[in-house]
């Protein structure tokens, strides 16, 4: 997607379609920018009464201008209560019209909204268009029929101030990180293996000098004695990997934020096999890994002044005659023994080893893990918010601010100490499952055992990483949820000189 900018309607270049924004003010449709003169020239009968300029309302006009043959009237509703998110949604619906009309070159007059800064207006408009302008095309073996094939190639921003173009370009870099995460989730599990995730990380390192990668293969994982990752990976035909990406955006600081992403490339459940109906979407169980890769790509492209280490433990959770077994005890990297109560609670196992390894090797000042960890978080929160668990109020506050900013909403869940007892084992230090009630909390409590006192946040994205149906500007399937959140969070850390 290429962005360009031009000062006013008069100076606009030819395009396939021009979007004009409208408000509803005291029951009357009004131009949402100063183009009333042009409206008269365009001869648009806005008092024709059927276009009400409601939020996201669309009206396509065929015109005979030398610059375009189509105008899309876009309603923004009540101009006094507009938010960035409402802009994202409105421009995402405009993008869908563009797709159906095969619009390649788009022009749009930026709205003027008194309650939002010019930069936020551009961010809302461009993010909505970019997030909706996605099509999964990387799958070698299949096409996803419902997806638009006619993506918008260029957008000319009309009006706006000097920084409009640079804000649009930043949106693009962030959304490219989201696309990368979506592509990784959408790809066949047979293609998106631990080795593929490793190769993806290496590509990022080749593209950005600020990123370095290190990949632990089976031999190194054995040498490091990551007993839990090894147990989960035993029945898989492909080797596990631990993928490490180091981003140095602030060499003057020793502080490092760790991002640990669950990379189960397919979750059969293991010997506690998932039933039909629960396994079909389990290629998305590396959604946390995809978020970490997408986030590192975006912050490197933006050049954020922070230091980040991304760590991705990755394997298939397969089933076979050499599967790890319920009832057996395995020794974790941290030295704690773990009784397997259920092989389908594998995410917390590989995360436990990765978290302990990350703390030992990289001594981060804070750690965020992100994982499609529990079905229970879906029951609790549904598809519009992720579950946030943390031992640190300052992190929660900043994540909450980032969630409101990006509308990748977070909802803090409690770490109820009393539930820890249910993880007690008679034969090991801890068991990997506990009580059924509150099992998203129990999973977080298990992870906390490997975090210790370090400032930590756990993001359970099991209900947000993958959608059965399109929502707002997210197409169905992989969403890339978490990338924009973490980019916003990390840019908040920039000012704290981390
Ligand atoms: N990968 C699943 C969690 C999941 C469920 C992600 C639905 C996306 C959609 C995870 O490994 C799992 O199976 N968790 C179990 C844990 C249970 C055995 C304690 C669960 O949530 O049922
Ligand atoms: Mg599982
Ligand atoms: Zn899983």
């Amino acid at each position: 997607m290429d962005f360009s900018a031009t000062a006013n309607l008069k100076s606009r270049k030819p395009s396939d379609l021009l979007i004009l924004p409208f408000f509803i003010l005291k029951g009357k449709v009004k131009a949402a920018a100063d183009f009333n003169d042009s409206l008269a020239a365009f001869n648009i009968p806005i008092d024709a009464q059927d276009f009400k300029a409601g939020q996201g309302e669309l009206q396509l006009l065929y015109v005979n201008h030398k610059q375009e043959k189509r105008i899309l009237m876009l309603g923004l509703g009540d101009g006094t209560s507009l938010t960035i998110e409402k802009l994202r949604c409105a421009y995402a619906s405009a993008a869908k019209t563009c797709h159906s009309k095969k619009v390649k070159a788009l022009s749009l007059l930026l709205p003027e909204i008194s309650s939002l800064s010019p930069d936020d207006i551009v961010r809302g408009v461009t993010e909505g268009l970019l997030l909706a302008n996605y099509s999964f095309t990387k799958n070698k073996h299949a096409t996803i029929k419902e997806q638009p094939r006619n993506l918008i190639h260029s957008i000319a921003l009309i009006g706006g101030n000097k920084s409009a173009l640079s804000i649009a370009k930043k949106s693009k870099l962030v959304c490219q990180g989201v696309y990368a995460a979506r592509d990784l989730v959408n790809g066949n599990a047979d293609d998106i293996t631990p080795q593929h995730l490793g190769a993806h990380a290496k590509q990022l390192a080749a593209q950005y000098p600020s990123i370095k990668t290190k990949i632990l293969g089976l031999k190194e994982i054995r040498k490091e004695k990551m007993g839990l990752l090894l147990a989960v990976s035993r029945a898989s035909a492909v080797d596990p990997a631990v993928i490490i990406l180091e981003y140095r955006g602030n060499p003057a600081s020793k502080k490092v934020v760790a991002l640990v992403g669950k990379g189960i490339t397919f979750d059969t459940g293991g010997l506690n096999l998932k039933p039909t109906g629960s396994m079909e979407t389990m290629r998305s169980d590396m959604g946390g890994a995809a978020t970490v890769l997408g986030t590192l790509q975006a912050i490197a492209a933006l050049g954020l002044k922070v230091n980040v280490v991304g760590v991705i433990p990755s394997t298939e959770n397969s089933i076979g005659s050499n599967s790890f077994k319920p009832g057996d005890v395995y020794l974790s990297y941290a030295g704690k023994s773990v009784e397997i109560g259920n092989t389908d609670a594998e995410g917390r196992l590989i995360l436990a080893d990765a978290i302990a390894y990350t703390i030992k090797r990289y001594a981060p000042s804070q750690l965020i893990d992100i994982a499609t960890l529990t079905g229970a978080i879906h029951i609790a929160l549904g598809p519009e918010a992720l579950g946030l668990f943390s031992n640190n109020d300052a992190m929660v506050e900043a994540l909450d601010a980032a969630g409101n900013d990006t509308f990748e909403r977070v909802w803090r869940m409690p770490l109820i100490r009393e539930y820890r007892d249910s993880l007690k084992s008679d034969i090991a230090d801890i068991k990997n499952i506990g009580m059924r009630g509150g099992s998203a909390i129990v999973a977080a409590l298990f992870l906390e055992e490997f975090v210790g006192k370090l400032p930590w946040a756990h993001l359970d994205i099991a209900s947000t990483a993958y959608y059965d149906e399109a929502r707002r500007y997210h197409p169905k399937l992989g969403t890339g949820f978490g990338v924009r959140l973490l980019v916003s969070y990390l840019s908040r850390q920039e000012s704290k000189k981390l």
Side-chain angles (χ1 to χ4, degrees):
M1 171 84 72
D2 288 323
F3 283 103
S4 60
T6 186
N8 52 48
L9 278 172
K10 274 205 188 87
S11 59
R12 76 189 186 280
K13 300 233 163 58
S15 71
D16 299 323
L17 182 146
L18 168 67
I19 299 177
L20 295 177
F22 294 87
F23 294 139
I24 180 92
L25 213 91
K26 295 189 186 127
K28 279 210 147 141
V29 176
K30 285 265 185 291
D34 190 15
F35 62 101
N36 285 301
D37 289 356
S38 316
L39 273 187
F42 287 180
N43 218 357
I44 296 178
I46 51 172
D47 46 5
Q49 299 292 320
D50 57 358
F51 177 73
K52 297 279 185 239
Q55 159 74 22
E57 193 181 330
L58 299 164
Q59 181 61 55
L60 184 67
L61 310 175
Y62 291 95
V63 293
N64 202 6
H65 299 161
K66 89 174 181 300
Q67 294 96 334
E68 66 272 319
K69 296 287 171 267
R70 301 184 195 90
I71 285 180
L72 185 61
M73 298 170 75
L74 172 61
L76 298 177
D78 171 9
T80 59
S81 65
L82 260 174
T83 59
I84 302 182
E85 176 62 8
K86 283 185 180 170
L87 281 179
R88 285 188 197 102
C89 291
Y91 282 84
S93 46
K96 284 169 203 159
T97 301
C98 292
H99 294 149
S100 70
K101 299 292 169 189
K102 300 188 169 52
V103 170
K104 297 253 183 304
L106 170 68
S107 297
L108 64 93
L109 180 67
L110 283 164
E112 288 162 20
I113 301 157
S114 54
S115 57
L116 292 174
S117 74
D119 286 0
D120 282 348
I121 293 171
V122 176
R123 203 152 65 90
V125 168
T126 54
E127 279 189 5
L129 287 165
L130 286 162
L131 291 168
N133 195 47
Y134 169 83
S135 177
F136 177 60
T137 50
K138 299 241 164 87
N139 199 326
K140 286 183 276 194
H141 310 289
T143 51
I144 296 163
K145 292 189 202 118
E146 301 89 333
Q147 301 258 337
R149 295 281 155 207
N150 308 297
L151 298 182
I152 304 162
H153 289 179
S154 68
I155 297 179
L157 305 172
I158 305 171
N161 64 2
K162 278 207 190 87
S163 64
L165 197 54
S166 85
I167 298 288
K169 286 180 177 163
K170 276 187 188 162
S171 294
K172 175 176 147 181
L173 298 178
V174 176
C175 292
Q176 282 173 334
V178 176
Y179 294 168
R182 288 175 179 175
D183 281 347
L184 287 168
V185 168
N186 289 339
N188 276 352
D190 275 346
D191 299 329
I192 313 297
T193 58
Q195 289 65 44
H196 180 96
L197 295 178
H200 186 99
K202 280 193 178 154
Q203 258 175 31
L204 288 180
Q207 197 177 346
Y208 299 103
S210 52
I211 296 183
K212 300 219 169 349
T213 52
K214 184 165 122 186
I215 293 160
L216 312 185
L218 182 59
K219 235 171 72 192
E220 289 89 1
I221 295 169
R222 281 194 178 131
K223 210 169 125 214
E224 293 288 351
K225 298 198 173 74
M226 297 187 179
L228 302 180
L229 176 57
L230 285 170
V232 173
S233 76
R234 270 190 3 198
S236 172
V238 294
D239 280 355
V242 176
I243 299 144
I244 300 154
L245 302 99
E246 281 184 88
Y247 170 72
R248 282 219 155 263
N250 185 9
S253 166
K254 285 207 168 64
K255 289 196 170 169
V256 178
V257 181
L259 303 178
V260 180
K262 173 179 173 182
I264 293 289
T265 56
F266 192 75
D267 185 11
T268 68
L271 288 176
N272 294 107
L273 191 64
K274 285 185 184 294
T276 298
S278 296
M279 206 193 291
E280 290 78 354
T281 59
M282 281 301 134
R283 72 177 190 286
S284 67
D285 213 16
M286 34 57 73
T291 301
V292 170
L293 289 167
T295 301
L296 273 131
Q297 175 184 324
I299 62 172
L302 292 166
L304 284 198
K305 291 182 179 48
V306 288
N307 300 321
V308 177
V309 59
V311 179
I312 295 167
S314 181
T315 177
E316 249 180 42
N317 184 22
S318 265
I319 183 165
S321 53
N322 54 347
S323 285
F324 76 124
K325 293 168 182 67
D328 273 4
V329 175
Y330 298 87
L331 192 62
S332 68
Y333 174 86
K336 279 190 213 293
S337 58
V338 180
E339 179 192 348
I340 306 304
N342 191 316
T343 60
D344 200 8
E346 84 297 335
R348 63 197 77 179
L349 296 174
I350 68 166
L351 286 171
D353 273 355
I355 288 169
Y357 178 82
T358 304
I359 294 174
K360 183 151 179 232
R361 285 298 156 102
Y362 297 95
S365 49
Q366 52 171 296
L367 186 148
I368 300 175
D369 78 77
I370 175 153
T372 49
L373 205 63
T374 66
I377 207 69
H378 187 82
I379 305 297
L381 299 176
E384 291 286 9
L386 59 75
L388 162 63
F389 301 81
S390 179
N391 60 5
N392 185 284
D393 291 345
M395 286 180 79
V396 170
E397 207 175 292
L399 282 162
D400 193 50
N404 292 331
D405 177 45
T406 57
F407 225 66
E408 295 197 324
R409 283 165 289 183
V410 306
W411 191 258
R412 189 180 194 173
M413 302 283 290
L415 289 161
I416 299 176
R417 302 288 156 218
E418 287 74 7
Y419 300 171
R420 243 194 224 156
D421 286 349
S422 70
L423 288 167
K424 278 191 181 144
S425 163
D426 296 331
I427 52 174
D429 294 326
I430 192 168
K431 206 164 59 183
N432 79 329
I433 57 159
M435 52 198 278
R436 216 172 101 78
S439 69
I441 300 172
V442 176
L445 288 167
F446 179 90
L447 294 179
E448 196 183 19
E449 292 295 317
F450 295 84
V451 169
K453 293 269 176 286
L454 183 70
W456 158 72
H458 158 56
L459 311 179
D460 193 337
I461 55 165
S463 65
T464 49
Y466 185 95
Y467 284 173
D468 294 332
E469 55 189 49
R471 313 184 66 84
R472 299 183 283 131
Y473 34 75
H474 291 297
K476 75 193 256 184
L477 313 183
T479 62
F481 204 104
V483 172
R484 290 188 303 119
L485 174 79
L486 289 175
V487 171
S488 172
Y489 177 79
L490 290 167
S491 57
R492 272 153 226 277
Q493 304 301 303
E494 240 183 338
S495 56
K496 295 183 194 158
K497 300 266 177 287
L498 281 182

